[in-house]
Amino acid sequence: GVVYNATIKATPGVVIRVSGPPKDAAEQSVSFTNGPEETRPSLALVNRGDWTTMNVTLPEGGWSNASFTFYVPVSYDDLSAAVTMVLWEGQELPEAPPPPVGTVCACPAEVEEDGSCGQGLMLARYNRGDDLLRSTVRCLNPPQYDIFRNPPRFVFSLCWLWECLGPDFTGPDHTRIKPYTIVLPNVTAFHNMERMLPGAATLELRKPTQVNMSVSISAGEEEMGPFWESGSFITLPGNRRGDISSLAITIEVPPQPWFDNNAAALIIVPGPFPPPPPLPPTMPPLPPLSPGGINDATSFIVA
């Protein structure tokens, strides 16, 4: 496998462990840390952990995912840490398998055996427009409230591909696309949701013209929407930051094949805000000086 130069940057006393299983079960898992090999929570209480650099070799078949565990001692507050992996020069990464011909969309994840989605994913329902008995569910990446943009904004994007939805949904003639609707009925958690601002906002929809897309937004029992016109000014419910409790997003995909293997995005930007109040008027000029050179209002006599 290829070799990376891995660096763990942490305050002395903070222990970080990075681990991940290989894609091929016959290969060895990946694990490295800036603390002792047998990292336990109790060991983070002593003066362990620091900036550490090491070589990390990945399995030939790659690793499936990475888990990061932080052991933070008592009173170590308001700090940060980082893990970086830089590929050493002179190595060639294995080529990624080519995508299916003519496609840009990856198929969404299927639900778990209990009908739920894995960690970090949200449930979406796909309903056929011509056959109400045919529907399916998939797991999608949730939207996010991007606090690093100026101004911050709500962002959600999605692509769709008819072939991804399975024979139970597409029917026996799976090559013939039918109209269907993608519904995210109750989005109650997304990154930085608690920081989303209520009030005036601008809605932007980026999509093919004949694909319909709408969003409804709730704050407790108060609901606004559905909103579907790009460029419109909307009002987000709530009275203060963090009041927004859920969103519902709907996308209607027409049956024409040129709308398949396509994408849409929904963006909500706070504002426009009312202009600031005008500045107070300038102070009136002082009255003219008296002939003696001192203003009568401030002259005085000492006996």
Side-chain angles (χ1 to χ4, degrees):
V2 293
V3 181
Y4 285 82
N5 176 245
T7 302
I8 298 178
K9 304 174 183 179
T11 302
V14 175
V15 175
I16 301 174
R17 172 175 289 277
V18 182
S19 59
K23 289 184 177 181
D24 184 351
E27 295 190 86
Q28 192 172 9
S29 61
V30 178
S31 179
F32 58 96
T33 178
N34 66 335
E37 286 299 318
E38 296 298 326
T39 303
R40 298 187 299 274
S42 61
L43 293 176
L45 301 178
V46 299
N47 189 24
R48 307 266 188 177
D50 203 343
W51 284 43
T52 304
T53 299
M54 69 209 80
N55 289 339
V56 175
T57 302
L58 297 189
E60 291 287 343
W63 56 346
S64 301
N65 57 71
S67 298
F68 298 81
T69 304
F70 293 73
Y71 299 111
V72 182
V74 176
S75 78
Y76 279 53
D77 194 20
D78 196 21
L79 297 171
S80 63
V83 178
T84 61
M85 294 179 63
V86 180
L87 183 69
W88 281 109
E89 295 182 1
Q91 302 179 95
E92 293 184 3
L93 291 174
E95 292 186 6
V101 176
T103 64
V104 296
C105 285
C107 291
E110 298 194 17
V111 296
E112 306 285 349
E113 292 183 359
D114 61 358
S116 65
C117 290
Q119 185 176 7
L121 300 176
M122 63 179 180
L123 195 70
R125 180 169 293 279
Y126 293 68
N127 300 319
R128 280 269 295 269
D130 64 327
D131 187 346
L132 300 181
L133 297 179
R134 291 187 184 272
S135 66
T136 188
V137 290
R138 291 293 188 271
C139 298
L140 305 178
N141 291 317
Q144 65 170 325
Y145 188 64
D146 188 352
I147 61 173
F148 297 104
R149 299 291 296 273
N150 186 21
R153 60 199 61 196
F154 172 89
V155 179
F156 171 72
S157 62
L158 170 70
C159 68
W160 52 84
L161 186 62
W162 176 256
E163 293 180 1
C164 290
L165 301 178
D168 291 341
F169 182 82
T170 60
D173 186 9
H174 65 89
T175 60
R176 184 180 177 186
I177 299 174
K178 313 299 192 302
Y180 62 98
T181 302
I182 307 170
V183 181
L184 291 77
N186 188 29
V187 183
T188 57
F190 53 85
H191 192 51
N192 290 323
M193 179 179 179
E194 73 283 356
R195 304 183 70 170
M196 192 168 177
L197 293 167
T202 303
L203 174 66
E204 183 178 347
L205 301 176
R206 300 178 182 177
K207 60 182 182 61
T209 304
Q210 290 183 279
V211 172
N212 295 324
M213 188 175 190
S214 65
V215 59
S216 299
I217 306 161
S218 299
E221 297 183 357
E222 182 183 6
E223 181 177 341
M224 297 288 186
F227 305 110
W228 60 83
E229 186 175 352
S230 185
S232 60
F233 301 125
I234 63 176
T235 301
L236 304 183
N239 298 311
R240 61 184 182 276
R241 187 190 301 271
D243 274 359
I244 294 173
S245 55
S246 67
L247 297 95
I249 301 171
T250 301
I251 302 172
E252 298 175 3
V253 182
Q256 288 80 7
W258 50 87
F259 292 116
D260 191 37
N261 190 29
N262 224 311
L266 185 154
I267 304 169
I268 301 175
V269 183
F273 301 105
L279 296 174
T282 57
M283 296 294 293
L286 293 172
L289 295 176
S290 62
I294 300 177
N295 195 305
D296 288 340
T298 60
S299 61
F300 55 91
I301 300 175
V302 179

